[in-house]
Amino acid sequence: MRAAFMYEAGDVRVQDAADPVIEQPTDAVVRIVRTCVCGSDLHPYHTMAASDGPAPMGHEFLGVVEELGSEVAGPKRGDLVVAPFAYADNTCEFCREGLHTSCPNGGFFAVGGVGGAQAEAVRVPQAQGTLVKLPVGEDSALLPSLLTLADVYGTGYHAARQARVDERTTVTVIGDGAVGLLAVLSAKQLGAERIILMGRHKERTDLGRFYGATDVVAERGEEGIAKVRELTGGQGTHAVLEAVGHMPAYEMAVGVVRPGGVISRVGVPQYENAPVGFPSLFGPNITLTGGPAPVRAYIDELLPAVLDGTVEPGRVFDRTVTLDEVPEGYRAMDQREALKVLVAP
């Protein structure tokens, strides 16, 4: 088969690779129908050392089940399925508590000997607990929106849920990438009436307004903090959904959160140390939460509105490439020429 590998920062190649096979009785092999490039894929694209490559890439996909291990019940050959970016058994104590990313039998695609999804096919561990059958065909116009259930929609929703967003909550979303925009959508779904989107790319923030943002702040740093404070009568917002992962975004989150509020981080942090002391979080009673989204916990809840067209999270995809064009997809997203790149193998 063909698959994408990152050799080092800025160097993504699509090449021949071994076909995935059943390795454990709980595995499935899935033929990829749609995949994509994630904003988090750009972190290694900027920093990966040659000594860490070649690494398989991709963790979001829709596909058709082709093979099943002997212990897999539920999914059937020929089913069109979506898989969350973290596989899990969906039966352990953590999974039952909705924390699939901490499943002791789980893990992540494209690491630990599991192939990436930017490929023609992938082995899915814990297939019974991971794969969710979709009631549409391979030619459905809903595929882009359904693909967001693998990561970015569930991640935006996780940000809002962890921040306890409801109809009484004012919200700031930091970041106008796909996750940030779908955090706006999620906050709106949970009832928020005031949603401030911090982003400076007009095409993206226009989509943010479509999803429910009431205000857009293009300024960054102290200037951006002052603008949000101005919009909120000096108080800041009850919830801040941080969807970037870099220190300046965290610092803005601390700057715009209201006393007693919540900062919910879902941008993969590219730092180890951050202010959490008296003047930043402790004194004003700020809660810090977030983490990798247990997407499997949200798919069943989010799926119906995607199927009936009530929401259109797939609008975050603004460019489609073939598998062989994946390196160009990385370049386009890195240069802000594309918001999120869909891959149709």
Side-chain angles (χ1 to χ4, degrees):
M1 71 169 185
R2 302 280 288 169
F5 293 84
M6 188 175 295
Y7 276 72
E8 61 180 319
D11 184 4
V12 178
R13 309 177 195 177
V14 178
Q15 61 191 46
D16 291 333
D19 292 336
V21 297
I22 300 294
E23 297 181 12
Q24 300 292 332
T26 51
D27 289 348
V29 172
V30 173
R31 172 174 57 84
I32 303 296
V33 172
R34 294 291 186 276
T35 183
C36 55
V37 180
C38 184
S40 63
D41 292 333
L42 297 182
H43 293 315
Y45 189 73
H46 294 151
T47 63
M48 182 173 161
S51 58
D52 293 327
M57 297 303 297
H59 53 263
E60 304 158 273
F61 66 93
L62 306 176
V64 174
V65 177
E66 294 203 327
E67 297 181 52
L68 291 166
S70 60
E71 295 181 10
V72 180
K76 296 180 174 56
R77 290 178 178 84
D79 284 350
L80 180 69
V81 293
V82 60
F85 66 87
Y87 59 86
D89 61 28
N90 205 29
T91 59
C92 75
E93 181 177 354
F94 290 105
C95 288
R96 292 197 304 272
E97 293 175 359
L99 199 60
H100 296 71
T101 48
S102 293
C103 177
N105 296 313
F108 299 89
F109 289 100
V111 295
V114 179
Q118 291 166 13
E120 292 181 319
V122 66
R123 177 175 71 90
V124 180
Q126 299 298 333
Q128 182 172 324
T130 300
L131 300 175
V132 178
K133 181 179 179 180
L134 299 172
V136 300
E138 290 184 52
D139 58 350
S140 172
L142 293 174
L143 293 190
S145 285
L146 292 167
L147 179 56
T148 67
L149 296 170
D151 185 349
V152 288
Y153 187 13
T155 295
Y157 191 73
H158 183 60
R161 281 283 298 269
Q162 289 294 97
R164 305 191 295 271
V165 171
D166 60 24
E167 64 277 359
R168 297 178 300 277
T169 310
T170 55
V171 179
T172 298
V173 175
I174 299 177
D176 58 8
V179 171
L181 296 178
L182 294 178
V184 170
L185 170 62
S186 299
K188 182 67 174 179
Q189 284 182 286
L190 292 172
E193 295 184 357
R194 184 77 183 274
I195 304 171
I196 301 169
L197 173 60
M198 299 190 77
R200 60 177 186 164
H201 304 91
K202 187 175 185 304
E203 289 185 359
R204 300 182 181 195
T205 57
D206 284 350
L207 182 54
R209 288 188 183 277
F210 171 81
Y211 283 145
T214 54
D215 304 271
V216 170
V217 172
E219 295 84 354
R220 292 182 171 184
E222 291 300 324
E223 190 178 359
I225 292 170
K227 183 66 174 178
V228 173
R229 291 280 176 179
E230 177 187 341
L231 288 170
T232 57
Q235 293 182 346
T237 57
H238 298 95
V240 182
L241 315 183
E242 194 275 280
V244 179
H246 290 290
M247 180 58 74
Y250 177 82
E251 292 171 339
M252 286 194 296
V254 172
V256 303
V257 68
R258 174 189 175 113
V262 181
I263 296 172
S264 183
R265 300 181 307 160
V266 292
V268 180
Q270 302 303 295
Y271 52 85
E272 288 295 330
N273 301 307
V276 295
F278 198 101
S280 55
L281 302 189
F282 186 82
N285 282 279
I286 304 303
T287 297
L288 180 64
T289 186
V295 172
R296 182 63 185 87
Y298 302 130
I299 290 177
D300 293 336
E301 179 180 353
L302 298 177
L303 178 59
V306 174
L307 290 173
D308 68 18
T310 303
V311 297
E312 299 178 81
R315 290 178 66 139
V316 298
F317 292 108
D318 57 352
R319 183 173 299 193
T320 300
V321 300
T322 66
L323 183 58
D324 283 333
E325 294 170 330
V326 162
E328 169 59 18
Y330 275 81
R331 188 205 64 78
M333 284 182 60
D334 184 51
Q335 296 298 313
R336 300 292 195 275
E337 295 173 8
L339 167 58
K340 189 167 179 66
V341 172
L342 183 72
V343 181

